[in-house]
Amino acid sequence: MHCLNCHEIILHQVTWSNLFSPPSDKKICENCFSQLERISLPQCSICARPMDVNGICQDCERWESEESWRGILEKNVAVFNYNETMKGIVARWKYRGDYILIEMFKYELQEVFQLHFSQQDLLLVPIPLSQERMGERGFNQALAIASLIKAPVREVLTRIHGEKQSKKSRKERVNTENPFQLLEQVSKPVLLVDDIYTTGTTLRHAAKLLKEGGAPAVYSFTLVRSG
Amino acid sequence: MNKLFSYFQESFFHDFSWIPSSLERATAPPDPRHEHFSAFLTGKLLLRNEIPLDNESFQQMESSELLATIPAIEKHPWGYKCRRCGNRKRHLFASLPDGAVYCRNCIMMGRVSEKEHLYAYRPDVQWPKHVDACQWNGELTPAQQHAANQILSAIGKDSLRLLVWAVCGAGKTEMLFPGLNLAFAQGKRVCLATPRADVVQELLPRFQSAFPSVEIQALHGTSDDKSGSAPFIIATTHQLLRFGRAFDVMIIDEIDAFPFHKDKSLTYAADRAAKETAARIYLTATPRPKHEREIARKRLPVVFVPRRFHGHPLPVPQFITAFDFRKTLKHRELSPKILNWLKKRVNADRQLLIFVPTIEDAVIVTDILSFYIPSITSVHASDPERSQKIQSFRDKSYETLVTTTILERGVTFPSVDVLVFDSGHHVFDQAALIQIAGRAGRSPDDPDGEVIFFHQGKTEAMVKAVETIWKMNKLGRRM
Ligand SMILES: [Zn+2]
Ligand SMILES: [Zn+2]
Ligand SMILES: [Zn+2]
């Protein structure tokens, strides 16, 4: 087995602790894995942003202070910090289009999902990609993540506006038209899946539609938390 | 058997019949509408998004057969092959959700999958003919002249390979001038490929002043102009991944150098970038065994340049045993053998260049020596201040520089003594040791720097390196 990141052969070091466990089929080597940072406490209890003490971050406080957005998103759970190594990997995965790279994180995605969400009967909904992006990239990164998790996935959202929004201010972004459209009603609680949680705007827009469309609660799950 | 197999493998995997050949190209009528564009397109293998045309004009070119549409990935019973980079490794292919297989090896240049195509321009392009383009007024030494004549005649003929085995400091750039002069007079397209970007940058002004009327482009990772539309291209080997059957003359500098001999995709790309009929000139100071075998079997013509441009012989390394090198280093001391040599140095005016096997050794040795030599520093491959430190050493701000093998080639300092600590270490192979010894005596004002290998037991690499240097000096005396 070669490491998906650095292409070196992964050597299985037999130690006393793994002597009797089956050999893992991990697709990332120890060296590459050691350069990644798992999200740890203290963090914002809503969006998982790293903080000095546990609590709610300013961004989330702002969302919660607005009547129309309060409680729209229960909480976000992320797996990794967006450090330099992760930025490089995400760039190669998303922008260069090396689809298979996500398989490196299968175990961690499953583990964190189990820890936070396995108690509930959730429907996984990936954040959709525009037709244009989908055509260029050949895959939806959110769906790629969702497919690695052992839970039902349904693509009930579609995108009516493109992804470019970086030039707009926060206020503009928050109050612009919802870029998504709901294709069918949902009755189960939903776990939205995306690659990165940055400002939470995208996920909250999607969550709002889902709640209006019948979802009793909406959570989100992302590979990385930036900022 | 093994060699036969690898020969077979190479001829099989380096099959470029999928690129429209120059014969086929010659028959297609040149299209005046695209004349300014044809220099950019010709000899390239491009993705759709690398061709700056709107869909309508693009489709027009495709349907009028000006562009050949080539599937990017070959499917075989044994697996896949990427035509752009030559990758055949199973673990460097993966598939997209729709099942299309893509190449992971060259993904940094934009992804190619089974569904994508490479586009090649069919019509033949005439390059300007420059008679007597060479404006260089210098004079070649007899050794350089001899090699220059061989290069000239190789370029004059088609399909010839020639290995130029020139010692470090032979002045190989100038030896190319007469041959290039002929090539440009005949309207040939030339590529000089080298493994390192800093060499590309250093060579460009030298060729520009020698051939002021010829358009020359430098292509490397961070060059501004990557269009690659000139009749003379100086490029890092990586840049060749966009070319196919482009050049009439292909010169490969330091053919033995890393990463060229290790990365198969670069050998593949260099082979493909040359036309079927191209003259191929390989330059090296330390050929790899593969080429030495070919020379021995008279399959690869060779010309030796055993003399440095200043006419003096290569400094021959001396061996000094220092069995206690590792032991003393553990106690943060240097072997008395080394200290003794430093005390009794013949010419203490020279700067000192010290090669050590590892980064850790570099740090410790620098630390210890700073007690004796205050003006000392060290460099290694991932040192962020690498280029500043090398420049400071060149400016003589430092008396001594301790380095790993990164400085084994390319860089020259006029007047240094060269020491290798633990020269039996496996990082110092024969080629590395010859290159390292080649750092000494580069200037005509001080042609005899000392080269000392401090070792804990002679290795074959050390002995062979010295034999090769002797052989070259002997050849040089005969000239
Ligand atoms: Zn790795
Ligand atoms: Zn928050
Ligand atoms: Zn490839």
Side-chain angles (χ1 to χ4, degrees), chain B residues 267-287:
Chain B
T267 319
Y268 174 88
D271 210 13
R272 185 188 62 198
K275 284 186 186 168
E276 304 93 308
T277 53
R280 293 157 204 250
I281 316 285
Y282 305 145
L283 309 176
T284 178
T286 46

Side-chain angles (χ1 to χ4, degrees), chain B residues 344-381:
Chain B
K344 294 181 182 162
R345 265 177 91 184
V346 179
N347 185 345
D349 292 339
R350 288 190 194 122
Q351 287 178 289
L352 254 189
L353 191 55
I354 301 175
F355 287 85
V356 293
T358 65
I359 297 175
E360 296 87 80
D361 289 343
V363 174
I364 300 173
V365 165
T366 309
D367 202 32
I368 301 168
L369 274 176
S370 61
F371 182 73
Y372 306 91
I373 308 164
S375 140
I376 185 170
T377 191
S378 65
V379 284
H380 55 83

Side-chain angles (χ1 to χ4, degrees), chain A residues 2-10 27-33 35 104:
Chain A
H2 292 260
C3 171
L4 282 177
N5 190 45
C6 69
H7 309 326
E8 295 292 324
I9 289 175
I10 300 177
K27 292 181 175 169
I28 179 167
C29 72
E30 292 283 333
N31 184 34
C32 291
F33 192 73
Q35 291 166 36
M104 292 194 293

